[in-house]
Amino acid sequence: PASAAANLRPGAEQKVVFITARVHPGETPSSFVCQGIIDFLVSQHPIAKVLRDHLVFKIAPMLNPDGVYLGNYRCSLMGFDLNRHWANPSPWAHPTLHGVKQLIIEMYNNPKINLEFYIDIHAHSTMMNGFMYGNIFEDEERFQRQAVFPKLLCQNAEDFSYSSTSFNRDAVKAGTGRRFLGGLLNDTSYCYTLEVSFYSYILGGPTSAVPYTEEAYMKLGRNVARTFLDYYRLNSLVERPLAPAPKTR
């Protein structure tokens, strides 16, 4: 369409944010967070419009649909914990991972596409708040840059905890999306697991736990989306009309 954003025109360079959720079927809060991201990005909110004009969001909201359908807690129909098979997913045994990984590699190999973020959304059964896992790099400067997005998110979301955010290379997590793609993509890409508590978040003192609601999970999703505005410093582009704009013909 004539009104398509410049970044969607054929041949345009694209900054891509890739988001996945619900690889573990029992982690239902991840779907509400993802829903919050999607609802915000397709809304008429002025921030959402600026984000759509500057970034391309690709979202796979449910990586384990058969496990979700069956009511499994962690595994797929065939009994696989899909989040341990990113290194070599089989098109037969892990079809969703295989498809998403092929798409990511295709984008990575396309000189017109910069895959800037990969965020995989999970829920955590013992920790409070929202927090992130990131990767460890030898390069100190890259390590510092990786901390920027969670620090900004912490400023935007009262339930997000930077102090619970950690960077690791635990061998058990080697087959996860964050770890595998962190090794595959180049040093301008940031890969995170976004975790959110099944139960509650803490405001102020240690005794003031606030139970999460579906709406609170979706609000965290909206705040994740808004944080890209700060990350790319696009605030000046958001229109803030003081009075209703006159209707034009």
Side-chain angles (χ1 to χ4, degrees), residues 10-160:
E13 293 217 355
Q14 294 183 346
K15 287 186 167 82
V16 172
V17 174
F18 205 104
I19 296 169
T20 56
R22 208 71 188 273
V23 73
H24 291 141
E27 297 175 10
T28 48
S30 71
S31 282
F32 291 113
V33 174
C34 193
Q35 185 73 50
I37 294 174
I38 294 169
D39 287 350
F40 183 77
L41 290 175
V42 300
S43 75
Q44 292 305 303
H45 195 289
I47 290 177
K49 289 180 174 175
V50 169
L51 291 175
R52 292 195 301 264
D53 283 345
H54 288 83
L55 303 167
V56 175
F57 289 85
K58 293 192 180 283
I59 302 175
M62 192 173 285
L63 285 181
N64 195 340
D66 49 341
V68 169
Y69 177 77
L70 291 166
N72 289 358
Y73 183 69
R74 200 166 173 88
C75 295
S76 65
L77 168 64
M78 295 170 69
F80 291 109
D81 178 344
L82 295 180
N83 207 36
R84 297 294 180 269
H85 289 276
W86 277 92
N88 192 21
S90 147
W92 176 75
H94 326 106
T96 52
L97 288 202
H98 183 266
V100 166
K101 183 179 167 184
Q102 292 304 111
L103 179 59
I104 287 174
I105 290 173
E106 233 171 75
M107 290 193 293
Y108 177 64
N109 290 330
N110 183 335
K112 289 280 193 185
I113 294 178
N114 288 324
L115 183 51
E116 307 224 326
F117 281 88
Y118 171 74
I119 299 176
D120 189 27
I121 309 172
H122 288 249
H124 205 286
S125 55
T126 57
M127 303 266 286
M128 303 278 200
N129 298 71
F131 58 96
M132 280 178 146
Y133 291 128
N135 295 315
I136 287 181
F137 303 108
E138 304 303 333
D139 175 0
E140 177 64 22
E141 194 252 349
R142 183 181 184 189
F143 186 71
Q144 296 295 340
R145 279 187 285 126
Q146 185 189 215
V148 171
F149 188 86
K151 282 179 177 170
L152 292 171
L153 178 54
C154 191
Q155 290 168 17
N156 287 337
E158 61 181 8
D159 56 321
F160 184 85

